[in-house]
Amino acid sequence: MFDESSSDELVAVIADSYREESKLVGRRLAAVAELLGRRTWEAESEDPDCGYMIVTGLQRTSAEVAAAMNLPPGTASTLVANAEALDSRFSKVMAVLSAGDTDWRTVQIILKRTELVRDLSVLAALDSRLSAGVARWQSWSRKRVNNTVDAAVRALDPDAIRERETAEDNRHFDVIPVGNGTAKVDGVLDAESAVIVDEKIAALANGVCPQDPRTLDQRRADAVTAMAQGITLACRCPACSNADTPAPTVDEARGVRTVINVIADQSTVLGIGNKPGYLAGFGVIDAEVVRRMVERATLRVLTVPTVPAEEMRRYQPTAAVERFVRMRDLTCRFPGCDRPAERCDLDHTIPFNHVDPSKGGFTTPNNLKCLCRQHHRLKTFDNGWHDVQLPDGTIVWTSPTGRMYCTAPGGIELFPRMGPPACVEPKARRRNLSRERAKRTARTRERNRTLRPINAEARRVAYAREREIEYRKDRNRQRNTLMFFKGHRHSKSPYMRWVNDPYESETLPPDWQPPPEPPTPDECPF
């Protein structure tokens, strides 16, 4: 394509295409924001207090965007949230992006660093200030853009600048290593060990009563210590803390039974083939790993289960049907969703007839599929989405706008037959996501307000310590110079009388504090 082009022409093509890409991103975000407005209006027409709807306008829009762009649910929700924030909070910055005068990376930084700003007048001032300068940031580093946005936010709304927090406030434990805060638990495990550790931590963390005040992440973090000590995780709710309950024993903790599912071809299990296997909830694993796990595993032949007429008219599937559907689907069957089948519900494609089960909606593999709770609710409570299940397990989805999407069972691509989750009818859980987000923002702003003077004092002390050490080193160098020229004779100069003092330590004790700063005069003396 570019064989006859000069290097300068190639660079020009790269720059022009990058500018056009920014324009396309701006156009896409404008379309997403408009779709969100329409879906929100539809939700409000169905329920005046739409903040507590089961399937909100944001969730409806995220589902359509995920299907159209083949995105995971979390990525699609983030895209919709960014489009909404850019459209409602930074319209002038969005205009600069749509004109191609800045890039999406820079706009993402602006959205991230200003997400705690809530005052409309402050947002308007930031929009005007940042849109006027963002076009000049093309050659800036990410850190420089961060500092510029933070400086603008700090000048208008200091509480919106995130302050460093203590490690205790960020307690977490993840089997897949992540870094966050000043302390982290980090490790790399083999697939089997990772699933076993994750299962045990989840069992310990979920073993406390629902009134425990800790979040799930904090309970998982505390469960690591409990697992290492061989005891169960103690509940911290007032009722359990004040009750005279005996301390947990080692036998109770070891009673946690771990079950993991591995799917493999028969030739791989017998050692006459090297086709990879699949570890449920983790992914594809090598044949050698499969054979190593087979040594202490219970083997089952995975086949399409035969469902008697009596069982197919029950809402809950049998264990064999559940296992087969999970292994067949491997993930949620909604377009773009990759949540593991083990964390999904089993959904009846043709709804189960609770009044007269003999009239259809049977509980059989060809009428069941895996849907995560989010998309199970969407399909159940949003009449805009429709699905049809084909005999081979393929699902044909039709969106509210009439677009069609096909999703095939993941297990069929790896093995000739595959499998299922417990069928749980989704419950109507009403939440106001906007109010919850506003409360989290208010808590973060209050925490920033509290931490700001603490961190400022810590920075002042650290700077003073560095200066004191440098001063001592400099004075010791002066004493060495005096010793070199005059030996042990003292200097008689009226200046720098400290040069005759003994050598000073060039390290400071941990509790060293700088002298207090002199009071600032109320008025200038001149």
Side-chain angles (χ1 to χ4, degrees):
M1 181 183 298
F2 299 108
D3 291 343
E4 304 298 328
S5 302
S6 65
S7 298
D8 181 66
E9 291 173 338
L10 294 177
V11 174
V13 170
I14 294 172
D16 291 342
S17 62
Y18 191 53
R19 183 182 179 88
E20 292 299 320
E21 180 183 350
S22 298
K23 294 181 180 180
L24 289 175
V25 172
R27 182 183 178 189
R28 179 194 304 154
L29 293 175
V32 172
E34 177 64 23
L35 180 62
L36 174 62
R38 296 183 183 184
R39 294 294 177 252
T40 303
W41 181 85
E42 294 172 1
E44 291 175 349
S45 64
E46 297 175 9
D47 187 347
D49 190 6
C50 62
Y52 286 104
M53 288 197 69
I54 300 167
V55 182
T56 63
L58 175 64
Q59 293 170 330
R60 299 180 186 192
T61 308
S62 299
E64 291 188 70
V65 171
M69 298 179 63
N70 194 27
L71 297 176
T75 305
S77 298
T78 301
L79 176 61
V80 175
N82 284 337
E84 190 273 336
L86 196 59
D87 180 67
S88 61
R89 294 159 62 93
F90 294 97
S91 57
K92 294 181 180 179
V93 174
M94 187 173 187
V96 177
L97 175 66
S98 300
D101 293 332
T102 187
D103 59 353
W104 174 231
R105 186 200 70 156
T106 302
V107 174
Q108 282 182 303
I109 294 175
I110 293 176
L111 295 178
K112 180 65 176 178
R113 311 299 285 192
T114 59
E115 62 183 357
L116 297 181
V117 180
R118 283 292 174 262
D119 189 90
L120 295 180
S121 61
V122 174
L123 285 173
L126 282 173
D127 190 19
S128 300
R129 180 181 299 187
L130 296 177
S131 61
V134 69
R136 303 192 305 270
W137 301 352
Q138 293 287 358
S139 301
W140 288 15
S141 66
R142 184 182 182 89
K143 182 175 180 57
R144 186 176 179 184
V145 175
N146 285 340
N147 293 339
T148 303
V149 177
D150 286 349
V153 175
R154 182 178 285 107
L156 299 172
D157 189 359
D159 291 343
I161 297 295
R162 293 189 180 275
E163 293 284 343
R164 179 172 55 86
E165 302 180 43
T166 61
E168 184 179 358
D169 295 332
N170 296 315
R171 294 199 305 272
H172 69 278
F173 182 91
D174 291 317
V175 173
I176 300 175
V178 296
N180 188 18
T182 60
K184 67 179 180 179
V185 178
D186 195 3
V188 177
L189 304 176
D190 62 87
E192 180 181 8
S193 300
V195 174
I196 293 174
V197 171
D198 192 40
E199 291 278 351
K200 286 186 175 292
I201 289 175
L204 290 171
N206 295 328
V208 299
C209 71
Q211 284 72 36
D212 189 287
R214 293 168 291 183
T215 64
L216 177 60
D217 284 342
Q218 291 173 341
R219 294 201 308 272
R220 285 175 63 89
D222 296 340
V224 178
T225 303
M227 183 177 63
Q229 295 174 342
I231 60 175
T232 54
L233 182 62
C235 182
R236 292 188 181 180
C237 75
C240 295
S241 300
N242 298 329
D244 296 330
T245 56
T249 63
V250 173
D251 291 337
E252 290 175 352
R254 291 179 179 174
V256 179
R257 183 169 178 262
T258 302
V259 178
I260 59 177
N261 293 313
V262 179
I263 314 160
D265 191 89
Q266 184 178 22
S267 61
T268 302
V269 175
L270 297 178
I272 57 178
N274 288 312
K275 294 183 179 179
Y278 187 91
L279 177 58
F282 181 83
V284 177
I285 55 178
D286 294 336
E288 290 298 327
V289 178
V290 173
R291 285 190 281 269
R292 187 170 65 246
M293 299 175 69
V294 163
E295 296 176 359
R296 53 185 182 279
T298 301
L299 301 181
R300 286 193 179 97
V301 178
L302 185 63
T303 58
V304 181
T306 301
V307 186
E310 181 181 355
E311 293 181 353
M312 72 172 56
R313 289 193 288 268
R314 295 176 181 173
Y315 182 69
Q316 291 290 345
T318 64
V321 171
E322 178 184 345
R323 186 182 309 111
F324 175 79
V325 175
R326 287 191 189 276
M327 300 299 103
R328 180 198 67 194
D329 290 352
L330 297 184
T331 63
C332 172
R333 298 298 305 281
F334 192 83
C337 187
D338 57 358
R339 291 189 175 106
E342 289 69 32
R343 302 177 186 176
C344 294
D345 300 334
L346 281 190
D347 171 65
H348 290 77
T349 301
I350 301 175
F352 184 80
N353 192 324
H354 291 275
V355 178
D356 188 357
S358 63
K359 291 186 176 180
F362 297 130
T363 306
T364 56
N366 58 5
N367 191 46
L368 292 174
K369 62 180 178 298
C370 293
L371 286 181
C372 66
R373 186 59 56 88
Q374 174 184 345
H375 292 128
H376 196 176
R377 284 197 181 100
L378 180 76
K379 185 248 183 181
T380 304
F381 299 109
D382 184 2
N383 296 328
W385 283 92
H386 303 282
D387 57 331
V388 176
Q389 185 165 346
L390 304 183
D392 63 351
T394 299
I395 307 296
V396 181
W397 293 89
T398 304
S399 73
T401 59
R403 289 180 174 269
M404 302 183 70
Y405 307 93
C406 293
T407 61
I412 292 180
E413 298 180 2
L414 299 175
F415 309 96
R417 41 192 179 275
M418 286 291 106
C423 185
V424 179
E425 187 174 11
K427 298 180 181 179
R429 182 179 59 172
R430 302 174 72 86
R431 298 177 58 191
N432 191 316
L433 300 180
S434 298
R435 297 178 191 177
E436 292 178 8
R437 183 165 55 250
K439 290 181 180 179
R440 290 196 301 269
T441 299
R443 288 196 299 267
T444 304
R445 288 172 60 90
E446 181 63 28
R447 191 159 54 242
N448 290 341
R449 189 179 299 111
T450 303
L451 290 173
R452 190 165 62 251
I454 298 175
N455 291 341
E457 176 62 17
R459 289 191 293 268
R460 186 187 74 85
V461 172
Y463 178 67
R465 288 176 65 91
E466 293 178 1
R467 285 197 308 170
E468 178 65 20
I469 292 175
E470 289 299 322
Y471 289 158
R472 293 189 180 189
K473 290 180 178 180
D474 183 66
R475 290 195 289 266
N476 286 340
R477 283 195 294 268
Q478 297 284 357
R479 294 183 180 105
N480 287 331
T481 303
L482 177 64
M483 177 68 69
F484 179 78
F485 286 104
K486 292 190 175 184
H488 293 284
R489 290 179 299 167
H490 284 184
S491 172
K492 296 180 181 180
S493 172
Y495 306 102
M496 298 193 310
R497 296 182 181 275
W498 47 263
V499 78
N500 297 318
D501 296 339
Y503 282 88
E504 300 176 81
S505 173
E506 296 182 0
T507 59
L508 296 176
D511 56 350
W512 180 89
Q513 290 290 328
E517 296 183 356
T520 304
D522 297 335
E523 297 182 358
C524 181
F526 304 103

